[in-house]
Amino acid sequence: MRELRAQMGITEQREIWQALGTSDRHEALRRVSETKAKVLRAFDDETAQLTAALNPPPRIPPTEFQLQQAAFAFKAKEQGELYRERLHYLPTGKQVREAADQRFILDSTPLSPSETAWDRFSQRLELESIIDSKQRLTERRHALRAELAAHLGDHEFVLVDWAIQQIADQHGYLIEQDDANYRVLGSLLMRAWIQELDSADSVFMNVDLPASTANLFQAGQLGGQPSANDGAALVTSDAAESERDILVLFEDYLSDQKKSLSSSGEADIRRTMQQFVEVSGISDVTAYRKAHATAYKKRIQQLPPNAVRDYPGKTVDQIIKSVPAGAPRLKPKTINARLSQLAVFGKWLEDTRDDVVAINFTTAALPVAGTSDKMKEFTDEEVSKIFLHPTFIGCAGERNQSEPGDYRVRDFRFWLPLTAAYSGCRLNELTQLQISDIFERDGVLTLNVTDSGDGQSLKNQQSKRLVPVHSVLLELGFKERLDAVKAAGKEHFFHDIPVDRGGRRSEAAGKRFRKYLTRIGVKRKGVGQRGGIHRFRHTVIEKLRSYGLFDHQIAPFVGHQASLAPMTSGYGSSSEMTLAQRKEAIELIRYDGLDLGLLK
């Protein structure tokens, strides 16, 4: 009590009791303990908060998906601001129409004896402030949009720097000014902001002329012919709508894709786009959201195969109603291909416009069930069984590879399966690799899959690509193997594979690996036992799909031939992707349970 009195500057005990809410001495003593405990708890809380502020947890670089999530949250917030602006600053449509009618009456009625010119002017000014409020806010939005678009075109993000910093602090992201994540997030935020400003006219109601005034115009009793400026405004409005028309833009898109698009591929993507627009019922490309892609996916799941051929001239709804019960429907793989087509188009829109975000044209892919005759990918357990066998981690000898020992196989039998498992390359693409096809670019060791060398061939032109070497291969000594082969003066990386009569190495390598799978019990007669080393290609594709990549995003890594659907969107086409983006994707390949330390 004495300590408390001294701290508070209180000299009388009664004052302390009263401060504790009681005049009873015993009750005051009891409450002192409670009060002291509360003060100590508050002090501890403040100490913890201060410690956390002074020693914040380490920030982590955000993923691309996290940046997109942050942009969508920002966009939703801006949409909410527009609605609040609509509620607080704009009159209702009824109030605007009433004001316009009253203004018309004022202009058509002479002054009353009790009314002065100033009174009439004040009334008219007040009515015009109601009528013109929408226009003033519209002009303000347009000015902001123009400023955002100009900064975005110059890759300047000062207008959203505050939002970037806020997002980084809120989520603990490592985003430093002018780094890659700062630029990506800045671009996403500005595009989202522009998109919401462009769609604001659907929030701020379209105010028509009141019926009485419109009738007078039609009767020629008010105003006159539209002025030249009115006509120009109409033309400008029509042009602006045309610039946002999704089907007009789609034709521009097809023109850009002519070189890589077959006639059947063009017909396929045209059908997809027509059905998408029909299901969505929207022409303005800036108005599309992920929900529209999801709705389209649900609708076409009810369509039969060859719907356009079997039901010519009918709409999607008409076709669905005409399909007999129990009739086959589109397969998930076909539906996913169409979703990929939309995603590619969305990416093109984002790259060519400031008011579209590519992810608004995407939705989750459907799971694709396997078939009995399809070549199966390896499971993680099978991969562990392949690479943790004594042949790979140490065996008794060349002639006894079933028993553990100190003898290590480190020729093509070791490196070829591992390279296939961590690249997704075709067998022939790997076995024909020349030393000159493996080089560093931008600090990344890279495989150049090509047919430019003597005796080299590829399945198709899309197979030409650069494939970054996975970090796992580097850890295991891939670079050292390359240096050793180069020092030995060999032309081919897998020079130790026996060559057949046709000068090819793939046949002998493939046959040897199939025998190895049979010997260790991974390959056996039964369902899903087709293929040998090529199964790693299927495995890599399924791995990337499991991480959320669409087929059109996977295509550049594996060299799939594609018309429009499998062309890349999020990562660009094979020739347009940066090596860093390909490296990021290839590093997704991991096999649970595989102890890499045993392979070193």
Side-chain angles (χ1 to χ4, degrees):
M1 292 290 283
R2 294 192 186 94
E3 294 177 1
L4 187 58
R5 280 206 307 270
Q7 292 175 8
M8 300 296 295
I10 299 173
T11 58
E12 297 292 335
Q13 288 186 351
R14 187 174 300 279
E15 294 180 46
I16 295 179
W17 301 342
Q18 291 175 351
L20 293 172
T22 180
S23 59
D24 182 82
R25 179 174 183 276
H26 296 288
E27 179 64 17
L29 289 172
R30 187 186 67 79
R31 293 188 182 184
V32 162
S33 299
E34 293 181 357
T35 302
K36 186 176 180 180
K38 290 179 181 180
V39 170
L40 291 175
R41 281 198 298 269
F43 178 78
D44 290 340
D45 292 342
E46 290 292 335
T47 302
Q49 293 177 12
L50 182 60
T51 302
L54 295 175
N55 301 284
R59 298 199 173 207
I60 58 173
T63 65
E64 182 180 359
F65 179 70
Q66 287 171 329
L67 293 178
Q68 290 173 341
Q69 281 186 314
F72 289 136
F74 173 82
K75 187 176 182 181
K77 183 178 179 181
E78 286 305 311
Q79 188 179 64
E81 290 295 329
L82 286 175
Y83 276 100
R84 279 190 288 275
E85 187 178 28
R86 168 67 182 83
L87 291 173
H88 292 293
Y89 299 108
L90 273 186
T92 64
K94 180 181 179 181
Q95 289 171 330
V96 172
R97 288 189 290 272
E98 289 176 348
D101 279 335
Q102 291 175 27
R103 184 180 64 178
F104 172 71
I105 294 171
L106 281 178
D107 293 342
S108 307
T109 306
L111 288 173
S112 66
S114 60
E115 187 181 22
T116 65
W118 174 255
D119 292 335
R120 177 63 61 90
F121 174 76
S122 299
Q123 292 180 53
R124 196 179 196 285
L125 194 62
E126 183 178 349
L127 293 173
E128 286 182 346
S129 68
I130 296 174
I131 297 168
D132 297 338
S133 55
K134 176 175 179 284
Q135 181 61 30
R136 290 197 304 274
L137 289 175
T138 299
E139 290 173 355
R140 190 175 72 181
R141 291 198 309 275
H142 289 177
L144 175 58
R145 189 213 182 280
E147 192 72 13
L148 286 167
H151 279 72
L152 182 60
D154 293 335
H155 302 288
E156 296 178 355
F157 307 109
V158 63
L159 295 180
V160 292
D161 181 77
W162 60 273
I164 296 174
Q165 297 303 324
Q166 190 178 75
I167 290 169
D169 293 340
Q170 180 182 355
H171 298 286
Y173 293 154
L174 179 61
I175 303 177
E176 297 180 351
Q177 193 164 20
D178 293 332
D179 69 7
N181 286 328
Y182 182 91
R183 293 191 294 272
V184 169
L185 182 56
S187 178
L188 289 172
L189 294 180
M190 294 182 79
R191 289 176 188 274
W193 202 350
I194 289 172
Q195 190 172 7
E196 282 308 311
L197 290 171
D198 283 344
S199 63
D201 285 340
S202 63
V203 178
F204 294 80
M205 78 299 181
N206 182 23
V207 181
D208 297 321
L209 287 172
S212 57
T213 309
N215 292 336
L216 289 172
F217 267 115
Q218 293 173 1
Q221 299 176 18
L222 190 64
Q225 296 299 321
S227 67
N229 288 336
D230 292 336
L234 290 174
V235 171
T236 303
S237 177
D238 290 342
E241 289 183 6
S242 177
E243 289 177 357
R244 297 199 303 267
D245 189 294
I246 188 171
L247 294 180
V248 173
L249 291 167
F250 176 68
E251 293 301 324
D252 294 338
Y253 169 62
L254 288 182
S255 297
D256 285 353
Q257 306 295 332
K258 283 294 184 183
K259 292 183 179 180
S260 59
L261 187 61
S262 64
S263 57
S264 60
E266 180 177 345
D268 187 55
I269 183 62
R270 281 188 181 279
R271 178 210 54 224
T272 295
M273 187 55 57
Q274 289 167 358
Q275 291 180 346
F276 177 60
V277 175
E278 178 188 323
V279 170
S280 303
I282 298 174
S283 61
D284 186 345
V285 73
T286 67
Y288 278 89
R289 301 294 184 269
K290 289 171 69 73
H292 297 117
T294 303
Y296 167 73
K297 177 181 69 174
K298 291 180 179 179
R299 294 299 286 162
I300 65 173
Q301 287 182 62
Q302 304 174 56
L303 288 176
N306 303 312
V308 175
R309 183 196 66 188
D310 297 340
Y311 300 89
K314 290 191 174 184
T315 66
V316 171
D317 286 340
Q318 290 171 341
I319 294 173
I320 292 174
K321 292 178 181 178
S322 302
V323 178
R329 300 293 197 263
L330 288 179
K331 295 181 178 179
K333 185 176 180 180
T334 302
I335 294 172
N336 288 343
R338 296 187 183 181
L339 297 179
S340 288
Q341 290 172 336
L342 290 181
V344 175
F345 177 54
K347 177 60 178 174
W348 179 86
L349 288 170
E350 182 180 79
D351 289 342
T352 55
R353 297 181 64 88
D354 295 328
D355 52 4
V356 175
V357 179
I359 203 166
N360 282 340
F361 288 82
T362 66
T363 187
L366 292 174
V368 179
T371 57
S372 59
D373 60 344
K374 176 191 172 187
M375 186 181 295
K376 299 290 186 180
E377 64 273 9
F378 289 118
T379 64
D380 285 351
E381 291 76 16
E382 289 175 327
V383 172
S384 293
K385 192 171 185 179
I386 291 169
F387 292 128
L388 297 183
H389 188 270
T391 298
F392 282 84
I393 64 175
C395 56
E398 181 66 34
R399 295 181 176 276
N400 184 9
Q401 296 182 18
S402 299
E403 299 294 330
D406 296 330
Y407 183 81
R408 290 179 177 269
V409 176
R410 287 300 180 265
D411 56 14
F412 76 92
R413 292 170 295 178
F414 177 86
W415 285 108
L416 184 63
L418 278 168
T419 307
Y422 285 96
S423 71
C425 289
R426 298 180 177 92
L427 176 60
N428 182 60
E429 293 171 348
L430 293 177
T431 57
Q432 69 181 10
L433 276 175
Q434 298 179 359
I435 295 301
S436 58
D437 296 329
I438 308 174
F439 48 79
E440 279 197 12
R441 176 172 294 181
D442 299 331
V444 177
L445 191 63
T446 304
L447 308 180
N448 181 23
V449 180
T450 180
D451 58 358
S452 60
D454 292 340
Q456 290 182 326
S457 63
L458 294 175
K459 184 176 181 179
N460 48 55
Q461 287 302 303
Q462 285 77 14
S463 298
K464 290 183 178 180
R465 63 195 188 279
L466 296 179
V467 181
V469 177
H470 199 289
S471 59
V472 166
L473 299 178
L474 296 176
E475 291 174 14
L476 296 177
F478 186 93
K479 182 65 164 57
E480 289 74 13
R481 155 95 179 180
L482 175 65
D483 293 339
V485 174
K486 189 183 299 184
K490 302 297 183 181
E491 182 181 5
H492 289 83
F493 184 73
F494 293 109
H495 63 91
D496 42 359
I497 301 177
V499 181
D500 62 17
R501 293 180 180 178
R504 297 168 64 88
R505 293 177 167 83
S506 55
E507 183 64 29
K511 183 181 294 185
R512 186 182 292 269
F513 187 71
R514 289 193 295 272
K515 288 182 178 179
Y516 171 72
L517 293 181
T518 301
R519 178 159 56 89
I520 66 174
V522 171
K523 182 177 175 63
R524 55 190 181 279
K525 293 182 179 180
V527 177
Q529 294 305 308
R530 290 180 57 230
I533 207 166
H534 194 74
R535 287 176 64 187
F536 280 122
R537 182 171 171 81
H538 288 253
T539 305
V540 167
I541 292 172
E542 290 303 320
K543 284 280 183 186
L544 296 178
R545 283 174 177 162
S546 71
Y547 289 119
L549 274 67
F550 277 105
D551 287 353
H552 62 263
Q553 296 170 309
I554 299 171
F557 312 121
V558 296
H560 267 156
Q561 185 175 12
S563 57
L564 205 56
M567 287 182 62
T568 58
S569 70
Y571 289 90
S573 69
S574 180
S575 60
E576 296 170 347
M577 289 170 55
T578 66
L579 199 58
Q581 288 172 325
R582 276 173 273 181
K583 178 69 170 175
E584 180 182 350
I586 213 75
E587 290 296 329
L588 292 173
I589 303 171
R590 287 287 185 270
Y591 298 98
D592 293 337
L594 179 58
D595 187 351
L596 298 172
L598 297 175
L599 293 168
K600 296 179 180 179

